[in-house]
Amino acid sequence: MHIVRSVLTLIILASLLFQYRYLLIPEALAGDEGIHFFEGSIKEAVSEAKKDNKLVFIDVYATWCGPCIRMKKTSFRSVAVGQLYNQHFINIAIDGETPEGAKVIKQYGVQAYPTLLFIDAEGKLVGKSVGFQGEQSLLSIGQQALVQTR
């Protein structure tokens, strides 16, 4: 009986580690090549986008959201994603559970985390994606947002 319990415990632990492997990646190993997020308000990001003739990319997340954490530790750190997004967008991450986040949720109809928004310098929504996005998906939706505005 003791052996069965030990084996079951090991199986459960291995399963949990396998499920959450992306949450356990040390940030120090990922480097600083990915998306650079603007530190400021949405209003300031939009102003910066207008000045630089760029779109605004908004990552609406929650601190408790597993897929949000996974994207932060993986997809957002991709070199290719960083090159595209840093060149063409003012990138900002907004916690949906803050007062500013609540305004973004209401204005753009956010219903789940993560939600990725692409807006122009006038605040008009030009693209939206809901749920975890891997590297290739982020590249694709970023390109689509750029095409929408040309």
Side-chain angles (χ1 to χ4, degrees):
M1 189 60 131
H2 179 68
I3 292 173
V4 172
R5 205 173 320 147
S6 296
V7 169
L8 285 174
T9 302
L10 284 174
I11 290 170
I12 291 169
L13 286 173
S15 174
L16 288 173
L17 286 174
F18 181 77
Q19 277 183 309
Y20 294 104
R21 67 191 179 275
Y22 292 107
L23 297 177
L24 301 175
I25 296 171
E27 290 186 31
L29 297 177
D32 191 29
E33 301 296 329
I35 295 177
H36 296 217
F37 285 95
F38 181 80
E39 305 228 358
S41 68
I42 293 279
K43 186 176 181 179
E44 292 167 333
V46 168
S47 176
E48 190 77 16
K50 187 177 278 192
K51 182 179 79 172
D52 294 348
N53 196 28
K54 293 183 176 184
L55 294 175
V56 177
F57 165 65
I58 306 170
D59 167 34
V60 184
Y61 70 93
T63 57
W64 50 262
C65 166
C68 302
I69 294 166
R70 185 173 163 206
M71 285 179 64
K72 180 180 177 186
K73 293 184 180 256
T74 60
S75 310
F76 288 165
R77 291 183 171 263
S78 157
V79 172
V81 170
Q83 288 172 344
L84 175 71
Y85 281 67
N86 295 335
Q87 180 179 352
H88 296 287
F89 304 100
I90 300 298
N91 308 296
I92 188 164
I94 298 293
D95 183 343
E97 297 185 338
T98 63
E100 184 175 33
K103 290 177 188 174
V104 170
I105 285 172
K106 184 176 180 182
Q107 182 174 359
Y108 296 107
V110 172
Q111 296 180 350
Y113 300 117
T115 294
L116 308 177
L117 305 170
F118 297 86
I119 63 173
D120 66 17
E122 304 304 318
K124 178 184 169 213
L125 186 66
V126 296
K128 182 177 184 178
S129 181
V130 178
F132 176 84
Q133 305 297 321
E135 177 182 6
Q136 292 305 312
S137 184
L138 274 176
L139 292 170
S140 178
I141 62 175
Q143 293 285 358
Q144 289 172 2
L146 292 170
V147 168
Q148 294 290 344
T149 60
R150 294 190 179 162

